Amino acid sequence: MSFMPYVPPEQLMKDRSDYAHKGIARGKSVVGLEYHDGLLFIAENPSATLHKISEIYDRIAFAGVGKYSEFEELRIGGVRLADVRGYSYDREDVKAKDLANAYSQTMSTIFTQQMKPYEVEILVGEVGEEPGGNEIYHVLFDGSINDEHDFVAIGGHAEDLTEAMKGSYEQGWDLPTAVQRAVAALSSAEDRQIEAESVEAGVLDRTRKQRRKFRRLSDTEIAGILSS
Amino acid sequence: MNRGPEPPIGDRPIGINPSFVEHLRAVVPERTAPPAGPSGEVAVPHGTTVVGLKFGGGVVMAGDRRATEGFSIADDKMEKVFPADEYSAIAIAGAAGQAVEIVKLFQLELEHYEKITGDRLSLEGKANRLAQMIRQNFPLALQGLVVVPLFGGFDERRGGGRLFYYDATGGRWEEEDYHATGSGGRPAKSSLKKRWRPGLSRDEGIRVAVEALIDASQEDVATGGPDPSRGIFPVVQIITADGVDRASDEEVRAAYEAVVGEGAR
């Protein structure tokens, strides 16, 4: 029979938080930003198939940084939640806010009740009918949740990236400008040039006529934008 | 996302199940179709005739607009041909409520798979999944709630259109040329037999499909013909390498006028 030595809750939470911070700091970053036609999510990702940015629902996208297996599990949970809700009620009743709250609850529970907290941060974005109607939620490993405007950076170099974006961000960018400036900010935060082939980008584009507004930018499209 | 205690890895299958229907049944069983109850026929609206045919660029799928309940017309504007995803469409004859539910679940099934795995299902995979869903409906089919779909799509890997038809038990067959099902399926098929040839153009494909539905409406009381005075025309979906495209009412009206004009000569 083993028994646990007493650890003050402050210490326990601090240790877990430090652990999660360290895990996230080792990984790459993601920027989410509002541009003229909707929301752009962009990241450096050497893998072409293991995505950091993906579609959740018609107007909702997901981006995660940190440990892939953990944010992938959250992404799948989100897709299931959204699809069940859309089936049970109606497609327009699926909202990023509800999803972000569900993530917040789950991550908070994991942070306080499991041995190891998740080493992830995620973004949940929803494109509005009008430019003013976009929503971006940022959920941290301990379940804390913020709603963001204009742009938000998460991951290993979030602070440098936020500084770089603060210097250049303007509302109403078109897509090529938004991609170029965001890649410039990612490069300056990493202190090296990020090549087009390792850029992953996805948009929620309100001008798409399809019901599903999410679109992944292809490698050729990104290379074309960055070389112009 | 309820996270109960998880059994050790050896006791559970690895990987994520990309099926929406199975997930739905696991988390909210009460929202899926109930198992068959005591036997007996239920009077519900039935959708009638749908046709599908291959043409040069892919597949044309079309359906009349009538739903009947016994000897009454339940609906004169019902739609029975739907896009299943970007590259396939499903046309349904049979118990209307049941059919629409199967279509909705099938659409979600394909979208869910695509989102979870990041890949679209192969056309063969979609056709097989639909067969399983029809088979699950078999207990209800025994009570008269039969659903028999046609499924057509553009096979991106083989680079051509393909057409599948089903029976109430979930039997699945691939059709090389054309097929029709529903109460007016037989006259529609004889019409297709005379008019269809390989390598039709898009316009010819629409015309042959519309003519088959007109012929069916003249032989079968439950099939509704086009009604230009009320602006009611068949729903025609065309599936090509560019995706699913619904023919506009003007296009279908032109096809109808061409067919009727020919008959009057």
Side-chain angles (χ1 to χ4, degrees):
Chain A
M1 176 101 189
S2 69
F3 59 98
M4 303 276 283
Y6 175 75
V7 182
E10 293 87 350
Q11 188 61 43
L12 194 66
M13 292 301 135
K14 186 177 175 304
D15 287 354
R16 284 185 184 175
S17 172
D18 288 348
Y19 175 82
H21 267 300
K22 267 185 217 153
I24 293 163
R26 278 196 294 273
K28 302 251 188 308
S29 317
V30 173
V31 189
L33 64 94
E34 297 184 58
Y35 74 106
H36 185 264
D37 294 330
L39 297 178
L40 165 70
F41 296 91
I42 191 160
E44 181 191 7
N45 186 353
S47 168
T49 46
L50 303 174
H51 300 300
K52 291 181 184 297
I53 297 159
S54 4
E55 170 187 21
I56 297 269
Y57 209 64
D58 296 354
R59 314 185 74 91
I60 303 174
F62 173 97
V65 292
K67 206 169 169 196
Y68 178 80
S69 63
E70 291 175 349
F71 68 71
E72 175 70 1
E73 188 186 322
L74 292 170
R75 178 187 77 85
I76 287 169
V79 169
R80 286 183 168 169
L81 180 74
D83 278 351
V84 170
R85 188 154 299 180
Y87 169 79
S88 306
Y89 305 105
D90 187 71
R91 297 196 79 93
E92 64 183 77
D93 298 314
V94 180
K95 301 281 187 204
K97 184 191 70 187
D98 298 340
L99 199 60
N101 271 320
Y103 280 135
S104 162
Q105 295 292 328
T106 301
M107 286 160 84
S108 162
T109 308
I110 292 168
F111 182 75
T112 49
Q113 295 182 4
Q114 293 197 358
M115 273 296 289
K116 183 194 101 55
Y118 272 16
E119 299 154 72
V120 295
E121 275 181 59
I122 59 171
L123 294 178
V124 179
E126 176 173 346
V127 62
E129 303 276 355
E130 302 297 326
N134 299 332
E135 292 169 31
I136 308 179
Y137 298 94
H138 175 191
V139 187
L140 277 74
F141 54 84
D142 63 353
S144 24
I145 175 170
N146 303 305
D147 70 334
E148 307 281 353
H149 296 283
D150 297 342
F151 66 88
V152 51
I154 58 172
H157 293 91
E159 280 172 25
D160 297 337
L161 201 48
T162 307
E163 279 309 309
M165 285 300 293
K166 229 177 234 168
S168 70
Y169 183 78
E170 285 166 33
Q171 287 183 341
W173 276 343
D174 59 8
L175 183 60
T177 316
V179 171
Q180 287 158 0
R181 299 295 168 80
V183 171
L186 283 166
S187 300
S188 89
E190 294 275 347
D191 268 334
R192 64 190 158 81
Q193 187 55 43
I194 290 172
E195 300 303 326
E197 54 267 29
S198 61
V199 172
E200 178 189 350
V203 289
L204 286 167
D205 179 352
R206 77 169 66 81
T207 63
R208 258 170 86 80
K209 66 177 191 329
Q210 290 93 325
R211 175 165 55 72
R212 290 160 72 180
K213 304 296 178 193
F214 182 82
R215 179 169 74 88
R216 212 174 270 294
L217 304 192
S218 69
D219 283 351
T220 36
E221 190 176 0
I222 294 171
I225 290 173
L226 291 180
S227 64
S228 65
Chain B
M1 300 220 299
N2 290 329
R3 305 180 52 82
E6 289 184 346
I9 188 84
D11 292 350
R12 65 193 154 103
I14 62 162
I16 298 289
N17 183 349
S19 167
F20 175 73
V21 175
E22 283 163 30
H23 176 65
L24 193 69
R25 204 166 286 139
V27 296
V28 278
E30 70 280 8
R31 286 182 211 161
T32 50
S39 64
E41 296 253 325
V42 200
V44 293
H46 275 67
T48 45
T49 309
V50 291
V51 302
L53 59 93
K54 285 201 201 174
F55 76 106
V59 177
V60 172
M61 313 259 288
D64 76 315
R65 303 287 291 273
R66 180 167 293 175
T68 56
E69 199 177 318
F71 291 105
S72 328
I73 294 171
D75 190 341
D76 240 348
K77 288 182 182 168
M78 185 171 282
E79 302 202 348
K80 305 168 200 170
V81 192
F82 307 88
D85 66 357
E86 228 172 301
Y87 291 97
S88 63
I90 177 170
I92 287 223
Q98 202 64 16
V100 168
E101 178 65 10
I102 287 177
V103 169
K104 188 177 169 185
L105 280 172
F106 185 56
Q107 289 167 330
L108 274 168
E109 185 77 4
L110 301 186
E111 181 187 327
H112 192 77
Y113 183 96
E114 190 183 325
K115 288 193 289 197
I116 296 283
T117 65
D119 294 310
R120 244 195 300 275
L121 266 172
S122 65
L123 191 66
E124 195 81 35
K126 294 176 201 174
N128 286 338
R129 191 69 191 105
L130 182 58
Q132 293 157 11
M133 292 173 70
I134 297 297
R135 190 170 304 129
Q136 278 159 5
N137 187 56
F138 187 59
L140 288 169
L142 289 176
Q143 298 185 4
L145 302 178
V146 178
V147 176
V148 274
L150 288 178
F151 177 64
F154 191 84
D155 192 326
E156 294 166 273
R157 295 172 204 191
R158 294 199 196 174
R162 294 172 73 186
L163 185 63
F164 300 88
Y165 69 97
Y166 298 81
D167 70 12
T169 65
R172 188 214 87 162
W173 295 273
E174 181 161 6
E175 182 53 65
E176 288 307 319
D177 313 324
Y178 53 82
H179 198 80
T181 185
S183 62
R186 192 163 300 196
K189 223 173 157 183
S190 346
S191 173
L192 288 167
K193 193 175 192 172
K194 300 281 180 220
R195 292 292 183 193
W196 186 88
R197 58 186 166 74
L200 292 171
S201 71
R202 175 189 156 113
D203 285 348
E204 289 167 336
I206 297 175
R207 195 164 141 185
V208 169
V210 169
E211 183 163 358
L213 290 173
I214 294 174
D215 287 346
S217 73
Q218 290 167 352
E219 299 289 326
D220 170 43
V221 283
T223 303
D227 186 346
S229 61
R230 290 196 294 158
I232 297 173
F233 289 100
V235 174
V236 185
Q237 305 272 8
I238 298 112
I239 309 109
T240 62
D242 299 329
V244 180
D245 177 33
R246 181 170 172 170
S248 66
D249 272 359
E250 289 74 55
E251 248 179 307
V252 182
R253 181 190 284 266
Y256 163 75
E257 278 163 4
V259 171
V260 176
E262 218 167 57
R265 258 204 311 271

